[in-house]
Amino acid sequence: MDATILGLLVADGITNGVIYGLLAITLVLVFTVTRVLFVPMGELLMYAPLTYALLVDHKLPGSLWLGAVLLAAWGVLDLLAGARRISLVLFAGAAALLGAGAWAATTGFPILAWVLAVGVVVLMGIATYRLFFEPIPHASVLTYLILSLGLHFVFQGLGLVFFGPEQYRLPPLLPGEAQLGPVPLPRQNFAVYGLALLWVLLLYGFFSRSLYGKALLACAINRRGARLTGIRIRDAGRVAFTLAGLICALGGMLLAPLTNAAYFMGFLPSLKGFVAAVLGGLVSYPLAAAGAILVGTLEAFSAFYASAYKEAIVFALLLPILFVQSLRTLEIGGVEE
């Protein structure tokens, strides 16, 4: 192995690790606040680039219809609960989403399609929490996990129906290659690094400076104590799922130009993001990010030496680490209220 190949493998590992890190941070954020292991985050990662691909191809994707249906169902729940004004806003939002989608599909304007693709995934994230998890606030972690797995299969199946089995190649945000010493790297890699760094800084500022961020941290540390101090667990969950949808959407839009966007593209990254989150004990953001870089690096070198077995090697090498970490992990109760 010469220096060029070594550099390529390290760069590939870091790039994949950054994507897994975004997913791991998403999983830790959602789990600590709501106790939900958000398995469908891989599907949210997939919906954004495929929605964009169809919009710029002058087609109205089914994901926009799904987003509108989720918003309308949310409106019906609020209407039944007596929140008439909010329900009317949600119904109007569903209609506006379809109208904006029809306009974007007609024009095929890339920036409009990009914003709409990210926006619909964010809406799907918060609507998923409102419709499926918020009505059962006292359920156990196992119940949430079973529900989350069901949503994973539903969203993946709908992805196949909406987008078909074809794979799409998205244009990179930063086209071309850059020479880093002897190693040629796609400039899109630097877009991934930049977004990850920006997102970490924004999250740090959000959690340390904003009232909503401190409320989320309080819920993550002690939900009962947070509720006793006046923090609404429901609102904290909605903020967590909104951030999760945003991270997944942006991660998918950055990952798709490096691979091919397809309905199955989110499964393996989300699984490796889950492994990284477990390495962080499902409570630590820095450890989850470090675990993601480890997973990405192991995957890159395994693909070079034994590509046919790279997935098995990655997960087999992580098993002893997961075992040791599980003995040290702070136990988080399923029901605290």
Side-chain angles (χ1 to χ4, degrees):
M1 178 186 296
D2 57 21
T4 302
I5 295 177
L6 178 62
L8 286 172
L9 292 178
V10 171
D12 188 46
I14 292 176
T15 303
N16 290 335
V18 167
I19 297 294
Y20 302 154
L22 290 174
L23 295 174
I25 289 173
T26 301
L27 196 62
V28 172
L29 171 67
V30 171
F31 180 74
T32 53
V33 174
T34 65
R35 304 300 183 261
V36 174
L37 280 170
F38 193 45
V39 181
M41 63 181 181
E43 279 59 56
L44 294 185
L45 181 143
M46 166 266 289
Y47 271 77
L50 290 176
T51 298
Y52 171 84
L54 290 194
L55 285 175
V56 296
D57 199 25
H58 303 285
K59 297 177 183 176
L60 184 63
S63 53
L64 293 181
W65 284 101
L66 176 60
V69 168
L70 291 176
L71 281 182
W74 183 353
V76 170
L77 285 184
D78 281 3
L79 184 63
L80 294 176
R84 180 174 298 179
R85 289 184 179 178
I86 296 178
S87 63
L88 290 178
V89 171
L90 291 170
F91 291 144
L97 179 63
L98 290 177
W103 182 33
T106 302
T107 61
F109 192 50
I111 295 180
L112 178 60
W114 206 96
V115 172
L116 194 57
V118 173
V120 72
V121 170
V122 174
L123 289 176
M124 288 174 61
I126 186 173
T128 298
Y129 175 73
R130 173 64 184 91
L131 295 175
F132 301 104
F133 297 106
E134 191 178 296
I136 48 173
H138 304 295
S140 66
V141 173
L142 179 60
T143 302
Y144 286 143
L145 177 60
I146 294 172
L147 182 55
S148 192
L149 282 172
L151 288 172
H152 155 71
F153 289 115
V154 169
F155 283 162
Q156 189 177 61
L158 288 176
L160 178 60
V161 173
F162 293 155
F163 309 112
E166 296 85 5
Q167 299 186 28
Y168 299 85
R169 189 75 173 184
L170 267 63
L173 291 178
L174 300 176
E177 289 186 345
Q179 198 71 24
L180 191 63
V183 182
L185 291 177
R187 288 195 174 94
Q188 180 68 14
N189 285 24
F190 295 99
V192 174
Y193 305 152
L195 172 73
L197 179 61
L198 177 63
W199 190 248
V200 169
L201 293 176
L202 288 176
L203 279 182
Y204 176 77
F206 177 72
F207 284 123
S208 62
R209 303 291 182 184
S210 73
L211 189 59
Y212 279 106
K214 292 177 180 178
L216 282 183
L217 281 180
C219 292
I221 295 171
N222 190 318
R223 299 180 71 191
R224 179 178 298 174
R227 192 179 61 178
L228 291 175
T229 58
I231 296 173
R232 302 178 68 177
I233 303 299
R234 183 196 70 179
D235 292 345
R238 291 183 181 183
V239 173
F241 270 75
T242 301
L243 292 175
L246 182 59
I247 295 175
C248 290
L250 294 178
M253 295 301 291
L254 290 174
L255 178 64
L258 297 174
T259 59
N260 287 328
Y263 79 95
F264 51 81
M265 66 175 286
F267 177 68
L268 279 178
S270 65
L271 191 60
K272 291 167 185 172
F274 172 75
V275 173
V278 172
L279 286 174
L282 283 173
V283 294
S284 171
Y285 297 104
L287 287 180
I293 297 298
L294 174 63
V295 171
T297 305
L298 283 175
E299 181 187 26
F301 280 87
S302 300
F304 178 75
Y305 286 108
S307 61
Y309 303 101
K310 67 174 185 177
E311 309 295 352
I313 290 174
V314 167
F315 292 112
L317 287 175
L318 289 175
L319 282 177
I321 302 174
L322 294 174
F323 175 74
V324 173
Q325 185 65 26
S326 66
L327 299 177
R328 304 174 55 189
T329 299
L330 176 65
E331 182 178 355
I332 297 178
V335 179
E336 298 183 2
E337 299 173 85

